[in-house]
Amino acid sequence: MLSAELQSQILALHYGSHRTIRSIARELGISRDTVDAVIKRRSVRLEPVARSRSSILDPFKDQVLELLRKDPRITHTAVLVHLREQGYLGGLTIVRDFVNESRTIPVSKREAFLRLHFAAGECAQVDWGEFGDVFRDGTKIHCFAMVLCHSRYMTIEFTRSEKFEDFIRCHENAFRFFGGVPRECWYDNLTSAVTDRLGQLVKFNARFLAYMGHHGIRPHACNPARANEKGRVEDLIKFIRMNFWPGREFKDFEDLTRQAIVWKNQFANQRVHGSTRRVPRLHFEADEKPALLPMNQARYDTDEIFTRVVPPDFHIPYDTNRYSVPWSLTGLSVTLRVTAIDIKIYYHERLITSHPRSFAKHKVITNEKHMTGLLERKPGGSREGWQIAAVKQIGPRMSEYLDLIKSGQKSLRNELGKILALATIYGDKTVHEAIESCLHAGVVGVENLELTLRRQNPGSSTKLSPGPLNFQNQKLNRVVPIVDLRRYDALLFEADALNQSASPKESKDHGYTSDNRSESDESF
C-alpha cells in the first residue's frame, strides 16, 4: 500500500498541476493503474493500525528476555530448548521473531566454504572446547566432542583437563557409545595428536599412533586455516556453546555431566539436523552404525602410570596436590596409577592405598591411618633405636636376624627402614614367615627378603596379553598352518618296507633286515 505522503503527491500533481496519469507514474516510478486508482478515489487512504493479538509466547516472553540479558548471543534454538522445559508448546518461528526484535547485538556473518561429503562409517571429527573456570576452583572445564561425519550423530564429554590420558579415555567412551569405530578420525592439529607440523609434513604423537593402531583407525590432521575440512566438529563446538551452555546453572561437575548426557540424548541427537534434514539418531541407526568397524576387544590402558619416591613427609605430589602413603614407606619407589576418579599407589604391583582424585588446587589429602605409629616416636631418641624396637616386635626370630645383619657389612639403617616398609605392605606375620624362610636358606638382607615375599605373595593385578596385530591387507592376517612332519616319516617307513620286500638278499648282504633293527629305529 502506498504511503499517505505519496498519495497526497499524486492528488496534488493531477488536480493542482493538471498532470497526466502517464507523467505522474513516470516521475514517481509507480504503475499507471496505481496512480489511476488514487485519482479516482480522490482521497488519501491511511494504513490500518495493527491490532495487538495474544500469542502463545506471551507467558514466556519474560523468560526469553532474561535469557537474552544473561547471554545476548544465545541462539533461537537454545531459547526454544529452555522454553520447552518450562512447558512451551509453540514452534520456533514465533520464538525467532521475538528474539530478533529483542536482541541488542547483530549476529556475525559466516564465511562460505566448499562442503565435503563422507560415506557411512568413513570418518569422525574430533576437537576440544574450553569453557573456563566454571566452578571457581582454579580448574578449567573442557569439552571433548566427536561427531560422525555422515549421520552427524555426536557425543560429548566434559573433563577437567586435556591430558593425553583424558584424550584417549574420551575416545574409548565415544567408541563404546557408537558401538564401533570409523575408518578415519580427523583432528585440528591438537597437541595430544600432532607433535610437529611443517607444511604438509605431519608428525603424530607416537603414543597416539599406538592407540590408533590398536583400533585400526587412520588419523588425519586437517590443514591449518581450512574451516571446511573440520567444519562438522567446529560447528558442533559452536552448537554446544550456543545451545547447551547459555542460561544453565550447574551445582558441581557431576551435575554438569548429567545435564550434558540428557541434552545429548534428548535434544542434540533427536533434532532434525539443519544440513542432512534427518534426525541424527535415526540416520545413524539406519545407515552408519552397520558400516562402523568393530572395536578391539582387548582393553586399552588409559590410566596415567608413573613412579615416585616417597618424600620425608610421606605425601606424594601430583597435579599441585599431595596424597599420603604410610609414613614407614619413606624413601621407597612406588608406582601411581591415576584414573578419572581415583589415584592408586602400588609397590611392585601390590596395592598399598588409594585416594579419590581431587581436581582442586594445592590440597593435601591425608589418610589418618597412614600416620599411625609416627607420633609414638620418643623425641631425642636415636633413629636406629626406635626402629630396632619396632622390628623386634614383628616376631620372635627378628632378633636373630638383626644380629646377623649387624655382623655383616650391610647398612643397618637401610635394613631397618626397608623391613618396616615391607611389614607395612605385607603385614608382620607374612614378613616374619619370609624371615624364617631366609634363615632356613642361610641368607639375610632385604634383597633376599623382598624376593622371598614377592615369590610367596604374587601381586593380585592381572595383565592382559596384547592381541595379534591386524593389518589392513587381509592377506597379511592369514595364519600359516603348522605342518605335521610325522606323515613324512610314515612315507619313509613305507618306502623302506617296499625296498626290503623287493630285494631281501640285498638287505641281508648289507646286514640290515627288519628283524635286526635297533631300539632307536623302533621308537622312531
Side-chain angles (χ1 to χ4, degrees):
M1 184 176 181
L2 294 179
S3 63
E5 181 181 359
L6 194 57
Q7 294 179 59
S8 300
Q9 189 174 1
I10 292 173
L11 295 175
L13 291 174
H14 180 73
Y15 291 104
S17 303
H18 304 288
R19 298 276 298 275
T20 64
I21 295 176
R22 182 186 298 272
S23 63
I24 295 174
R26 186 184 299 111
E27 181 178 343
L28 301 180
I30 56 180
S31 66
R32 287 178 290 176
D33 292 339
T34 302
V35 174
D36 183 56
V38 174
I39 292 174
K40 289 181 178 179
R41 190 171 59 242
R42 300 191 68 165
S43 64
V44 175
R45 179 176 297 176
L46 301 177
E47 295 183 5
V49 179
R51 293 179 298 174
S52 60
R53 295 183 299 174
S54 60
S55 168
I56 193 173
L57 185 63
D58 288 345
F60 306 93
K61 287 184 176 180
D62 292 339
Q63 300 180 30
V64 175
L65 294 176
E66 179 64 19
L67 291 173
L68 290 173
R69 186 189 64 80
K70 292 181 178 179
D71 186 359
R73 297 182 179 276
I74 190 171
T75 63
H76 315 122
T77 309
V79 174
L80 178 63
V81 171
H82 284 281
L83 296 184
R84 287 279 191 241
E85 297 175 355
Q86 303 300 323
Y88 172 69
L89 301 178
L92 177 63
T93 303
I94 189 173
V95 175
R96 182 176 59 243
D97 293 342
F98 183 72
V99 170
N100 291 340
E101 293 175 1
S102 306
R103 196 189 302 272
T104 58
I105 61 173
V107 180
S108 58
K109 296 182 179 180
R110 297 180 178 179
E111 186 178 357
F113 289 98
L114 179 65
R115 183 178 297 275
L116 300 178
H117 297 279
F118 299 90
E122 179 184 1
C123 179
Q125 292 186 3
V126 181
D127 203 0
W128 282 108
E130 184 180 309
F131 290 80
D133 187 1
V134 179
F135 302 106
R136 307 296 181 187
D137 57 359
T139 302
K140 293 182 179 180
I141 299 299
H142 309 266
C143 181
F144 172 90
M146 179 182 291
V147 58
L148 296 175
C149 298
H150 179 75
S151 63
R152 306 303 205 277
Y153 197 56
M154 52 76 72
T155 181
I156 62 173
E157 181 175 350
F158 285 93
T159 67
R160 285 173 281 204
S161 77
E162 291 187 5
K163 287 187 175 181
F164 179 81
E165 289 75 18
D166 293 292
F167 189 55
I168 298 303
R169 191 179 297 117
C170 290
H171 275 77
E172 286 287 283
N173 296 336
F175 293 150
R176 280 194 289 267
F177 176 76
F178 294 142
V181 299
R183 288 160 180 80
E184 294 184 0
C185 281
W186 288 23
Y187 302 88
D188 186 16
N189 296 288
L190 301 175
T191 55
S192 302
V194 179
T195 57
D196 195 10
R197 179 164 192 154
L198 181 60
Q200 298 297 323
L201 299 177
V202 179
K203 181 180 180 181
F204 286 99
N205 185 337
R207 297 172 64 194
F208 174 72
L209 284 180
Y211 175 73
M212 290 283 101
H214 178 76
H215 288 298
I217 304 173
R218 294 189 301 270
H220 172 77
C222 298
N223 293 311
R226 295 284 182 170
N228 62 320
E229 293 186 9
K230 50 189 180 293
R232 285 164 175 78
V233 72
E234 283 195 347
D235 288 345
L236 176 57
I237 295 296
K238 294 177 183 176
F239 187 71
I240 296 168
R241 293 186 187 279
M242 302 176 70
N243 293 276
F244 168 72
W245 200 261
R248 290 184 181 269
E249 295 181 356
F250 312 105
K251 298 178 181 178
D252 49 28
F253 183 79
E254 287 70 24
D255 183 43
L256 167 61
T257 301
R258 286 192 296 268
Q259 292 193 39
I261 293 174
V262 172
W263 177 82
K264 174 188 68 177
N265 294 332
Q266 296 185 3
F267 174 73
N269 285 327
Q270 295 281 95
R271 77 194 193 283
V272 177
H273 196 275
S275 298
T276 63
R277 310 309 302 171
R278 298 176 65 177
V279 176
R281 181 181 64 81
L282 301 179
H283 194 183
F284 166 77
E285 293 176 353
D287 299 336
E288 190 147 29
K289 187 174 183 178
L292 294 176
L293 301 175
M295 291 183 63
N296 191 333
Q297 295 302 315
R299 178 183 176 273
Y300 195 89
D301 194 352
T302 61
D303 297 342
E304 184 179 0
I305 303 174
F306 54 92
T307 301
R308 291 287 186 272
V309 176
V310 180
D313 66 348
F314 59 92
H315 283 74
I316 300 176
Y318 173 75
D319 198 17
T320 76
N321 297 323
R322 306 205 317 268
Y323 299 85
S324 69
V325 297
W327 64 271
S328 56
L329 303 185
T330 300
L332 292 185
S333 295
V334 295
T335 301
L336 275 71
R337 179 179 285 270
V338 183
T339 69
I341 59 175
D342 59 15
I343 296 178
K344 294 182 172 65
I345 303 173
Y346 295 81
Y347 180 76
H348 290 307
E349 299 182 359
R350 191 174 186 88
L351 180 63
I352 299 173
T353 186
S354 63
H355 293 278
R357 183 176 176 182
S358 174
F359 291 91
K361 297 296 184 181
H362 308 291
K363 299 295 183 180
V364 178
I365 296 91
T366 303
N367 186 341
E368 297 298 330
K369 294 181 179 180
H370 295 165
M371 302 174 61
T372 302
L374 178 61
L375 300 180
E376 298 174 1
R377 292 175 53 185
K378 295 181 179 180
S382 65
R383 176 180 177 86
E384 290 78 6
W386 72 264
Q387 285 184 322
I388 292 175
V391 169
K392 287 183 177 180
Q393 293 176 359
I394 295 177
R397 303 203 65 180
M398 297 307 300
S399 296
E400 178 184 356
Y401 182 84
L402 289 180
D403 290 339
L404 294 173
I405 293 297
K406 292 178 181 179
S407 301
Q409 299 179 353
K410 297 181 179 297
S411 170
L412 181 60
R413 176 180 297 181
N414 180 62
E415 293 283 331
L416 293 172
K418 199 67 173 289
I419 291 173
L420 290 177
L422 294 175
T424 302
I425 297 170
Y426 292 94
D428 292 352
K429 181 179 179 181
T430 304
V431 170
H432 189 260
E433 293 174 353
I435 288 288
E436 290 181 326
S437 299
C438 290
L439 293 176
H440 184 267
V443 295
V444 293
V446 290
E447 296 83 1
N448 296 310
L449 174 60
E450 190 166 2
L451 288 175
T452 303
L453 287 169
R454 292 176 63 183
R455 183 175 63 251
Q456 296 178 352
N457 302 273
S460 59
S461 61
T462 57
K463 296 182 179 180
L464 294 176
S465 57
L469 291 176
N470 291 321
F471 299 94
Q472 295 181 4
N473 187 347
Q474 295 302 322
K475 294 181 179 180
L476 300 177
N477 294 323
R478 296 177 181 174
V479 179
V480 179
I482 300 176
V483 179
D484 188 0
L485 298 178
R486 289 178 295 180
R487 60 181 181 177
Y488 295 102
D489 300 338
L491 295 175
L492 179 61
F493 283 125
E494 292 177 3
D496 188 26
L498 291 175
N499 291 334
Q500 291 177 6
S501 62
S503 55
K505 182 178 181 180
E506 182 180 356
S507 301
K508 185 176 181 180
D509 294 340
H510 285 82
Y512 186 85
T513 63
S514 60
D515 296 331
N516 60 2
R517 291 181 181 177
S518 64
E519 292 183 3
S520 61
D521 295 330
E522 290 291 341
S523 62
F524 181 77

